[in-house]
Amino acid sequence: MRPTVHDIAAEAGVSLATVDRVLNNRPGVRSVTRNRVERAIATLGYVRDVAAANLAKSRSYPLVFILPSGENAFMRGLESELRFAMSRSAAERLDITILSVPAFDAPALAAALLDARKRRPAGVAVVAVEAPEVTEAVKRLCEDGVSVVTLVSDLPGSGRDHFAGVDNVAAGRTAGSLLGRFLGGREGPVAVLAGSMLVRDHRDRLEGFRAVTSEDFASRQVLPVIEGQDNPLLVEKLVGALLERNPDLAGIYSLGAGNRGLIAALEKAGRAKSVCTIAHELTPHSRAALLSGTIDALLNQNAGHEVRSAIRVLKAKADGLPVIAAQERIRIDIFLKDNLPLEQE
Amino acid sequence: MRPTVHDIAAEAGVSLATVDRVLNNRPGVRSVTRNRVERAIATLGYVRDVAAANLAKSRSYPLVFILPSGENAFMRGLESELRFAMSRSAAERLDITILSVPAFDAPALAAALLDARKRRPAGVAVVAVEAPEVTEAVKRLCEDGVSVVTLVSDLPGSGRDHFAGVDNVAAGRTAGSLLGRFLGGREGPVAVLAGSMLVRDHRDRLEGFRAVTSEDFASRQVLPVIEGQDNPLLVEKLVGALLERNPDLAGIYSLGAGNRGLIAALEKAGRAKSVCTIAHELTPHSRAALLSGTIDALLNQNAGHEVRSAIRVLKAKADGLPVIAAQERIRIDIFLKDNLPLEQE
DNA sequence: AGATTTTTGATTTACGTACATCAAAAATTC
DNA sequence: GAATTTTTGATGTACGTAAATCAAAAATCT
């Protein structure tokens, strides 16, 4: 049987009240006595029963999630995963509030962070936009003792506790490697289509892609980056022009969103099969394109995992428990038409 | 605030004792009363506080894990993940016992299942070997009301509750697809190296590999399967002979274990770079070979995830709770040298 | 030594559920 | 309508921890 506070009291030869004072470091315990209790804890291998403690405290975990609004399919998937987690959160004493903020809008995001702060949550998860005012707001939260997890897009230098997202440099490298190997000896330049260079994850992916291309496929020409603002219509226009300008285009790496435009442009130009295409994020559109062969490989981050990981980490931080790094690492999924999971997920 | 049993009693106009009788379906409640309580539960949206209930019951979850012994690196990794999960299981009321059984030994496995049964656990996780006696033993456990999860290798037709492992047909297809595309227009046959055709996962992988090769790369010749019994020494010998027989060999798909022998044979023959190699499972040896270029891609199943998933599922089954399929799907990791996670994991 | 402060003990209530007991009320049977 | 059975209520204890109160003991200071 696991030892309880009573066992510690007996072992240390003190009263329950004193054990409680030590465990919850309340004042009024001489250091000799404190030591005795701590020794008892160590020898018996006592571990606080978090469930019982939470019950006694009627503890709940008020969390705030800040997500971008807009029609970005990945973000909407993220939100739906979050709502699902909320629906079954009853058993976990979670009390989650969602705040929506226009995408790429740093002032609005900073304001939302201040709003979140007023609610005195135990933790905040935020899809970060890299801007000084956002960094500042996150810093403020951390100083207040609120745990902060960045979600999908990181915010280095803000003091956030954890990043729940993929290694985007590695993602870019992987895309470059796959594209290079899929093309083999085939001639022609490759293009990179990004959303915006203002977001950290896109910059990281580009960096990784360029690095691996120059290391391993030095002879391959990489055309200047196209920024499609994650907007399908704009993307379609820009890719259409790109295809016209480059009749010998061998491959495209689309590292942002707006894949609907990319797919449309490729198919309209009749180049769906001849241009090797690697894109990000599994959505109904990109899934269909992968199956039809318009897209050759998809890199994906599992939104459900990211949400659950963020919640786990925030809870652990609130309880002062350690985080298991290996468990919280969000992996880069690589999907070919052959290992696509079933639709319903 | 979440409603409690007291709220239900008030709402239904009955006593706490009656609510308790309904909730834990004890006898002695007229169906009219029962209905009234159930309606109250529904309208208030009551969900039993599992933590409090477990506390009151002093419930624990006695689980048995049955793993193959031997020096298979993946299995040892699995066991170490399991031990790690056990070490931090104090807070989760888990009481896990590990049984070791010689690999590929159906009678021993069946005996271990019977042994497990005697311990009256809440659940059993087992790395299955496909044999009638094993299927029979699993069936028996299920009939006793013990939840059974197959781990890594499945056992269809046994009535097991869940399979915690990857879709091995999809894994084989993915390997075939990658190998085909990496080889591009290059000439030469490819070879398949398996452990044993007696294990389900190996058979599934082979099936997937063959299917995709004949669908998408019909002109590519696939040599007869080599069975290396997951034994590094035997594998090295067999692959050495294979390389000698086929100087024009373009690729190898190793779908089992014993990669150490494969790597040694390729490097000894000086064909490490010229033969495109795809293998399974990330181990220190395979990791090094991926980084050096001897292996071109690794398919991996994350042992930590499998263990944690098996535990979660067994717990959920023991509590009569539903399993979230999307969360429990074990994905096939594809590692290139570019997206290899850091060593310590 | 006496007064004062600090430390410790003893005890109680609470969290939400499980489970047991005994008495009271209601329904059923004869 | 009385006797019997079934159903329901009232109450208490337990699980392991948190948190509070008040008294007792010990340490510190003057």
Side-chain angles (χ1 to χ4, degrees):
Chain A
M1 281 293 269
R2 279 175 67 182
T4 71
V5 279
H6 296 85
D7 301 319
I8 297 178
E11 170 80 15
V14 300
S15 76
L16 255 175
T18 301
V19 174
D20 179 70
R21 288 181 186 114
V22 172
L23 278 175
N24 300 289
N25 49 143
R26 289 184 234 284
V29 184
R30 272 189 307 163
S31 58
V32 252
T33 318
R34 184 173 294 271
N35 284 338
R36 217 141 37 96
V37 173
E38 273 162 1
R39 218 162 338 107
I41 291 177
T43 57
L44 293 188
Y46 168 82
V47 191
R48 174 197 255 110
D49 184 328
V50 183
N54 283 346
L55 180 60
K57 279 191 287 201
S58 332
R59 195 196 202 314
S60 72
Y61 299 84
L63 304 181
V64 175
F65 273 69
I66 307 179
L67 308 180
S69 55
E71 50 164 330
N72 181 318
F74 173 75
M75 290 302 170
R76 295 289 64 77
L78 194 78
E79 182 169 346
S80 102
E81 287 288 351
L82 180 56
R83 291 194 185 281
F84 177 67
M86 284 165 70
S87 77
R88 37 162 266 123
S89 72
E92 311 192 44
R93 303 178 169 273
L94 295 175
D95 172 19
I96 298 178
T97 307
I98 302 182
L99 299 181
S100 268
V101 166
F104 305 113
D105 185 339
L109 180 52
L113 284 162
L114 291 182
D115 180 10
R117 193 177 164 221
K118 278 194 219 114
R119 298 163 184 260
R120 309 220 136 276
V124 171
V126 54
V127 179
V129 173
E130 226 176 352
E133 55 218 298
V134 177
T135 310
E136 202 46 51
V138 168
K139 264 188 193 154
R140 209 91 64 81
L141 273 170
C142 293
E143 281 160 14
D144 286 5
V146 177
S147 305
V148 177
V149 167
T150 47
L151 196 59
V152 180
S153 192
D154 197 8
L155 195 58
S158 63
R160 91 284 185 278
D161 293 272
H162 182 81
F163 168 52
V166 299
D167 177 343
N168 284 298
V169 177
R173 292 188 61 94
T174 305
S177 223
L178 280 177
L179 189 58
R181 301 205 63 158
F182 282 1
L183 289 177
R186 208 179 124 197
E187 301 271 320
V190 297
V192 177
L193 173 66
S196 157
M197 284 299 103
L198 297 174
V199 228
R200 177 98 201 171
D201 45 351
H202 290 197
R203 287 215 310 277
D204 283 349
R205 288 173 188 172
L206 177 62
E207 177 193 328
F209 180 83
R210 282 200 169 135
V212 88
T213 305
S214 68
E215 285 165 24
D216 298 350
F217 309 97
S219 63
R220 182 76 58 186
Q221 184 199 353
V222 179
L223 299 173
V225 176
I226 300 170
E227 291 188 46
Q229 305 300 327
D230 287 1
N231 177 337
L233 294 176
L234 178 57
V235 168
E236 181 171 354
K237 216 182 90 194
L238 291 172
V239 174
L242 169 79
L243 292 170
E244 235 170 275
R245 268 201 315 278
N246 300 277
D248 61 338
L249 190 77
I252 296 183
Y253 173 37
S254 164
L255 56 77
N259 284 326
R260 233 162 56 232
L262 168 68
I263 296 163
L266 281 165
E267 290 178 351
K268 262 189 201 148
R271 309 263 287 275
K273 295 279 157 49
S274 62
V275 175
C276 183
T277 305
I278 294 186
H280 274 265
E281 314 313 350
L282 184 63
T283 65
H285 284 98
S286 65
R287 153 189 287 275
L290 187 60
L291 286 172
S292 74
T294 301
I295 289 178
D296 294 84
L298 267 180
L299 304 193
N300 184 65
Q301 50 188 323
N302 189 304
H305 285 204
E306 290 181 328
V307 164
R308 287 187 289 268
S309 173
I311 292 174
R312 263 198 309 273
V313 169
L314 287 175
K315 245 181 116 165
K317 294 283 176 192
D319 287 332
L321 297 174
V323 168
I324 307 168
Q327 179 172 1
E328 305 309 343
R329 216 193 89 240
I330 309 294
R331 295 167 297 166
I332 303 162
D333 285 330
I334 303 175
F335 290 126
L336 307 180
K337 69 176 194 325
D338 307 290
N339 64 336
L340 216 41
L342 294 178
E343 191 99 43
Q344 76 269 10
E345 305 191 38
Chain B
M1 282 295 268
R2 279 174 67 182
T4 72
V5 278
H6 296 86
D7 301 319
I8 299 180
E11 170 81 15
V14 300
S15 76
L16 255 174
T18 302
V19 174
D20 178 70
R21 289 181 185 114
V22 173
L23 278 176
N24 300 291
N25 47 146
R26 289 183 234 283
V29 184
R30 274 188 304 163
S31 60
V32 254
T33 317
R34 184 172 294 272
N35 285 337
R36 217 140 39 94
V37 173
E38 273 161 0
R39 220 164 336 109
I41 290 176
T43 58
L44 292 188
Y46 169 82
V47 190
R48 175 197 255 112
D49 183 328
V50 183
N54 282 347
L55 180 60
K57 279 191 287 202
S58 329
R59 193 194 202 316
S60 72
Y61 298 85
L63 304 181
V64 174
F65 274 68
I66 307 180
L67 308 181
S69 53
E71 52 165 327
N72 181 318
F74 173 76
M75 290 303 172
R76 295 290 65 78
L78 194 77
E79 182 169 344
S80 103
E81 287 288 351
L82 179 56
R83 292 195 184 278
F84 178 68
M86 286 164 71
S87 75
R88 35 163 267 122
S89 72
E92 309 192 45
R93 302 177 168 277
L94 297 174
D95 174 19
I96 299 179
T97 306
I98 301 182
L99 300 181
S100 268
V101 165
F104 306 112
D105 185 339
L109 181 53
L113 284 162
L114 292 181
D115 179 9
R117 189 173 167 226
K118 277 194 220 117
R119 296 164 185 260
R120 311 220 134 274
V124 172
V126 56
V127 178
V129 173
E130 228 177 351
E133 56 219 295
V134 177
T135 310
E136 203 45 53
V138 168
K139 263 188 192 153
R140 207 95 62 83
L141 271 171
C142 293
E143 280 160 13
D144 284 5
V146 178
S147 305
V148 177
V149 167
T150 47
L151 196 58
V152 180
S153 194
D154 198 9
L155 195 59
S158 63
R160 89 285 187 279
D161 293 271
H162 181 81
F163 168 52
V166 300
D167 177 344
N168 284 299
V169 178
R173 292 189 60 94
T174 304
S177 223
L178 279 177
L179 190 58
R181 301 204 65 157
F182 282 0
L183 289 176
R186 211 181 121 191
E187 302 272 318
V190 297
V192 178
L193 172 67
S196 159
M197 283 299 102
L198 297 173
V199 227
R200 177 97 202 172
D201 46 350
H202 289 197
R203 288 215 310 277
D204 283 349
R205 288 173 188 173
L206 178 62
E207 176 193 330
F209 181 83
R210 281 198 169 133
V212 87
T213 305
S214 69
E215 285 165 23
D216 298 349
F217 309 97
S219 63
R220 180 79 55 188
Q221 185 199 350
V222 179
L223 298 174
V225 176
I226 300 170
E227 292 189 46
Q229 305 300 328
D230 289 359
N231 177 337
L233 293 176
L234 178 57
V235 167
E236 181 170 354
K237 215 182 90 194
L238 292 172
V239 174
L242 169 78
L243 291 171
E244 236 171 274
R245 271 202 313 280
N246 299 276
D248 60 338
L249 189 76
I252 296 183
Y253 172 38
S254 164
L255 56 76
N259 284 326
R260 233 162 54 232
L262 169 68
I263 296 163
L266 280 166
E267 291 177 352
K268 262 189 203 151
R271 308 263 289 271
K273 295 280 158 47
S274 62
V275 175
C276 183
T277 305
I278 295 187
H280 274 265
E281 313 316 351
L282 184 62
T283 65
H285 284 97
S286 65
R287 153 190 287 274
L290 187 60
L291 285 173
S292 75
T294 302
I295 289 180
D296 295 83
L298 268 180
L299 305 192
N300 184 65
Q301 50 188 324
N302 188 304
H305 286 205
E306 290 180 330
V307 165
R308 287 187 290 268
S309 174
I311 292 175
R312 265 198 308 272
V313 169
L314 287 174
K315 244 182 115 165
K317 295 280 178 197
D319 287 332
L321 296 175
V323 168
I324 307 170
Q327 182 174 355
E328 306 309 342
R329 217 192 89 240
I330 308 294
R331 295 168 296 164
I332 303 161
D333 285 329
I334 304 175
F335 290 125
L336 308 180
K337 70 177 193 327
D338 307 289
N339 64 335
L340 215 42
L342 294 178
E343 191 99 42
Q344 76 270 11
E345 305 189 39

